[in-house]
Amino acid sequence: MALSAAAPRLRARRAARALSPYAYVAPFFALFAAFGLFPLLYTAYVSLYRVELQTPGQMEWRGLDNYTALFGDDYFWTALRNTFTIGVISTVPQLLMALGLAHLLNYKLRGRTFFRVTMLLPYATSVAAATLVFAQLFGRDYGLINWLLSLVGVHPVDWQSGTWSSQIAVSTIVTWRWTGYNALIYLAGMQSIPGDLYEAAELDGASRWKQFLHVTLPGLRPTVLFTIVVSTIGATQLFGEPLLLENSISGGISHQYQTLGLYMYEQGWGFFHLGRAAAIAWVMFLLIVVLVLVNTAIARRRVRVRVRARAREEVVR
């Protein structure tokens, strides 16, 4: 009788132990479903309808017309081109400078903790505050940048009206904010590389530059791929910096620096076309997925090529 009475308790305890891990992770999945998955699916649903901001309850079926109208809009292609160019001229210098700063911080310097902390200050600064300061720096008449250029005989540049000049101004803000953040990520990756590799390279007579090329960079491949993917996602979603540069959702008079994020905001909250804004959001999502897959494929192909090259060298030896 005692054994038969204890059997259900043992089963209950075993079931509780088996289900307890799922109970611990259930809050995350519940929050993700409520604030991540549901908005994503609902946005896809709304993109197939004509929905106006004034009357969100009145939905008219359009199918893929929002997408076809989007691809027929010249301003969409302008925003897509601006997003690509701003992303390139902000991401490439940003990651290169971050790699150089991380390499310097990896040495045993005095006060290196202080320098590492200062790397995060731009990242911790508000986007609005940083953009407003840079908007003053890039002012046409009284900006500090034009004053410095005048010292070397360069005429004042209208940074906000020109196509390339405005995109360079926006890219400068992005580079300033994210360089230190990526530098610390690279620094963490460098510190995970075994010191024995550097000692072996030094014994072989390799200079510090050759150690950086043949030891540091190969050890940072996964980290570099991670920063490229994250920077690509951030560049595609760029919104705050171009919005606050001139406080315009159109990205300038001729849309010269309007990104996809600004274009989506303009369609949804400027022209009140929520259905088209949802279609833009899904195009941005698919674009990010494609870019991430392309970056991953390129990185894997490079790894395969290097592995094959090493295998050939070993066979020759």
Side-chain angles (χ1 to χ4, degrees):
M1 296 293 293
L3 293 176
S4 60
R9 295 180 182 178
L10 292 175
R11 293 175 184 174
R13 290 178 182 178
R14 291 175 182 176
R17 291 178 181 177
L19 296 176
S20 58
Y22 300 98
Y24 291 138
V25 299
F28 165 77
F29 287 103
L31 293 174
F32 173 75
F35 299 101
L37 185 61
F38 173 75
L40 184 67
L41 297 178
Y42 186 72
T43 302
Y45 171 75
V46 172
S47 68
L48 302 177
Y49 288 84
R50 178 178 181 179
V51 187
E52 301 298 325
L53 184 62
Q54 303 94 327
T55 57
Q58 300 178 7
M59 303 176 66
E60 179 183 349
W61 172 259
R62 295 199 63 184
L64 298 178
D65 289 347
N66 283 328
Y67 293 92
T68 56
L70 185 65
F71 295 138
D73 189 358
D74 292 336
Y75 289 129
F76 166 76
W77 297 107
T78 300
L80 180 62
R81 184 175 62 253
N82 293 339
T83 302
F84 176 77
T85 54
I86 293 175
V88 171
I89 60 180
S90 63
T91 299
V92 175
Q94 171 194 147
L95 296 183
L96 291 177
M97 287 190 294
L99 191 60
L101 289 173
H103 185 60
L104 292 176
L105 292 174
N106 197 30
Y107 290 112
K108 295 181 180 180
L109 302 174
R110 290 184 179 180
R112 58 180 178 178
T113 303
F114 170 77
F115 291 114
R116 292 175 183 178
V117 172
T118 55
M119 290 292 102
L120 279 178
L121 290 180
Y123 172 71
T125 305
S126 169
V127 178
T131 306
L132 292 176
V133 171
F134 274 91
Q136 298 298 321
L137 294 176
F138 284 104
R140 184 186 62 179
D141 298 324
Y142 304 103
L144 179 62
I145 305 298
N146 279 340
W147 178 77
L148 293 175
L149 292 176
S150 66
L151 297 179
V152 294
V154 179
H155 294 289
V157 178
D158 192 353
W159 293 99
Q160 297 178 348
S161 298
T163 300
W164 282 104
S165 59
S166 60
Q167 293 182 8
I168 290 174
V170 173
S171 301
T172 303
I173 306 171
V174 178
T175 302
W176 178 80
R177 289 195 70 242
W178 291 98
T179 298
Y181 174 83
N182 288 313
L184 291 182
I185 293 179
Y186 286 149
L187 179 61
M190 290 178 182
Q191 291 181 345
S192 65
I193 300 175
D196 298 340
L197 298 177
Y198 291 100
E199 294 178 0
E202 188 174 357
L203 290 175
D204 290 338
S207 62
R208 287 191 173 183
W209 174 246
K210 290 185 177 180
Q211 292 178 23
F212 177 76
L213 291 178
H214 299 289
V215 178
T216 304
L217 288 182
L220 283 179
R221 283 178 195 151
T223 308
V224 171
L225 177 61
F226 170 77
T227 54
I228 291 175
V229 170
V230 172
S231 299
T232 301
I233 295 174
T236 308
Q237 297 177 338
L238 194 62
F239 176 76
E241 290 84 350
L243 173 65
L244 297 172
L245 180 65
E246 202 177 1
N247 198 21
S248 171
I249 62 175
S250 61
I253 299 176
S254 57
H255 298 252
Q256 65 268 17
Y257 60 92
Q258 185 183 49
T259 60
L260 287 175
L262 272 183
Y263 180 68
M264 178 183 66
Y265 186 85
E266 181 184 42
Q267 292 294 323
W269 283 264
F271 301 147
F272 311 125
H273 303 322
L274 294 184
R276 183 173 294 187
I280 298 170
W282 260 90
V283 170
M284 292 173 62
F285 173 74
L286 296 177
L287 179 62
I288 290 173
V289 172
V290 170
L291 291 176
V292 170
L293 292 177
V294 169
N295 286 329
T296 306
I298 293 174
R300 290 180 177 177
R301 184 176 180 181
R302 289 180 178 177
V303 171
R304 291 175 183 174
V305 170
R306 291 177 180 175
V307 170
R308 291 175 183 174
R310 290 180 180 177
R312 291 174 183 174
E313 291 178 358
E314 292 179 356
V315 170
V316 172
R317 290 178 182 177

